Amino acid sequence: MESVASPDALITQTRAWRQAGLRIGFVPTMGFLHAGHTSLMDRARGDCDRLVVSIFVNPLQFGPSEDLDTYPRDLAGDAAKCRDHGVDLLFVPERFYPRDFSTGVSVSGVSEGLCGGRRPGHFDGVTTVVARLFGLVQPHVAVFGEKDYQQLAVVRRMTCDLALAVEVVGAPLIRDPDGLALSSRNAYLTPDQRARGLSLNRALTAMADAVASGTRDVPQLLALGREQIRADRLDYLEVRDADSLAPVQTVTGPARALVAAFYGQTRLIDNRALVP
Ligand code: AMP
């Protein structure tokens, strides 16, 4: 595995691969990698000749009171995991944005509400960094996790709207054996917070089970979910259309339950399919 720190080195390598007719897969991350991230690498690896992973904690997608400065890092451990999962090129930029960078990419509609509503500017930061990463890597396929379900929808929208020649693939959310959705931010949790964090998956599972056994009324489903959640503060619990992410009052087709909640300062998100 090769590791590069400059956008120019990244461009040079990926251009050579494209010119050789090789299919490039790409997994963008913020590092502190876990089995959720490596599942994306495995998914991409099966669908490409050369696999690129980026590790960049993107300041643009953090709000002023969020955890940019404390975001967990472990570059040596991350590099070992990338090597184990067949990554060909690891991009850990020293300087990602050019000094005079003046562009923002903003998606409306699907980025509104949920995390977009609670974290103003967050998805503008995400689409801006992903657009530049797509420009640098020019991958044939890029894999994103359903853990960040709204992010996946926003990236799909941007890719379609800007006619970017990248196939965006969504990969399933990976959990710890006890049900907690894997997240780099789980490292912040105290044992008590982690134990209570399991209630997010319990709430979503209760909602999915209720839908499977015939409940269709969303207010009833939300009440059922809220009853289960043991958080310091619930940020949101919602049911949305699985594709458009439009709010729904009755589950008539594929839907998604999405939750965000605080445990101390740590904000966890989770989601689950509701299949009538
Ligand atoms: P992050 O490093 O948090 O920016 O995440 C990088 C990519 O990994 C995103 O596409 C996430 O959706 C994905 N990801 C993070 N956690 C998980 C998980 N538990 N299961 C599947 N994908 C995940």
Side-chain angles (χ1 to χ4, degrees):
M1 182 179 78
E2 200 189 333
S3 195
V4 294
S6 82
D8 284 348
L10 175 66
I11 289 172
T12 303
Q13 179 57 272
T14 54
R15 183 183 295 148
W17 284 336
R18 264 192 315 282
Q19 283 169 352
L22 297 169
R23 182 172 163 84
I24 299 174
F26 178 45
V27 176
T29 81
M30 297 202 299
F32 210 70
L33 303 177
H34 50 65
H37 296 113
T38 55
S39 75
L40 308 186
M41 296 175 201
D42 297 343
R43 172 66 182 76
R45 185 69 271 181
D47 191 15
C48 69
D49 303 306
R50 293 291 181 271
L51 177 55
V52 181
V53 167
S54 63
I55 295 178
F56 175 54
V57 182
N58 172 36
L60 295 186
Q61 71 192 70
F62 286 77
S65 60
E66 293 183 352
D67 57 342
L68 173 64
D69 294 334
T70 54
Y71 198 82
R73 284 158 218 254
D74 174 19
L75 254 188
D78 288 351
K81 285 178 189 133
C82 288
R83 215 173 283 115
D84 288 348
H85 288 267
V87 174
D88 296 291
L89 184 60
L90 178 59
F91 176 50
V92 187
E94 259 157 26
R95 163 175 287 278
F96 180 75
Y97 294 107
R99 226 173 286 280
D100 51 355
F101 189 76
S102 317
T103 298
V105 179
S106 183
V107 169
S108 60
V110 75
S111 68
E112 290 158 20
L114 302 170
C115 286
R118 310 301 297 183
R119 305 181 66 189
H122 169 66
F123 284 119
D124 290 352
V126 168
T127 41
T128 301
V129 76
V130 171
R132 180 161 164 80
L133 283 166
F134 280 4
L136 294 170
V137 179
Q138 297 189 33
H140 298 85
V141 57
V143 183
F144 292 80
E146 288 185 347
K147 161 75 171 21
D148 299 87
Y149 196 81
Q150 188 179 18
Q151 169 176 279
L152 172 61
V154 170
V155 169
R156 281 193 202 284
R157 188 74 254 161
M158 173 190 77
T159 307
C160 176
D161 287 355
L162 299 182
L164 305 179
V166 183
E167 182 192 343
V168 174
V169 169
L173 190 162
I174 306 296
R175 299 175 183 281
D176 263 338
D178 60 8
L180 188 70
L182 289 179
S183 165
S184 306
R185 290 190 169 99
N186 291 351
Y188 296 139
L189 298 172
T190 65
D192 167 65
Q193 289 169 340
R194 192 186 182 290
R196 288 185 292 120
L198 297 175
S199 68
L200 297 184
N201 180 42
R202 272 202 298 275
L204 297 174
T205 305
M207 293 167 76
D209 290 349
V211 169
S213 36
T215 306
R216 296 289 177 265
D217 181 56
V218 167
Q220 208 179 324
L221 291 168
L222 295 176
L224 190 69
R226 267 194 222 106
E227 239 168 57
Q228 298 281 336
I229 295 174
R230 303 280 173 269
D232 295 323
R233 182 157 61 86
L234 181 60
D235 210 18
Y236 65 74
L237 174 66
E238 291 197 39
V239 173
R240 297 284 183 111
D241 179 273
D243 294 322
S244 67
L245 287 186
V248 291
Q249 282 305 308
T250 310
V251 178
T252 52
R256 204 86 187 179
L258 304 106
V259 67
F262 280 94
Y263 294 82
Q265 300 295 307
T266 305
R267 184 175 180 276
L268 300 184
I269 59 170
D270 201 345
N271 68 85
R272 188 175 276 268
L274 303 181
V275 186

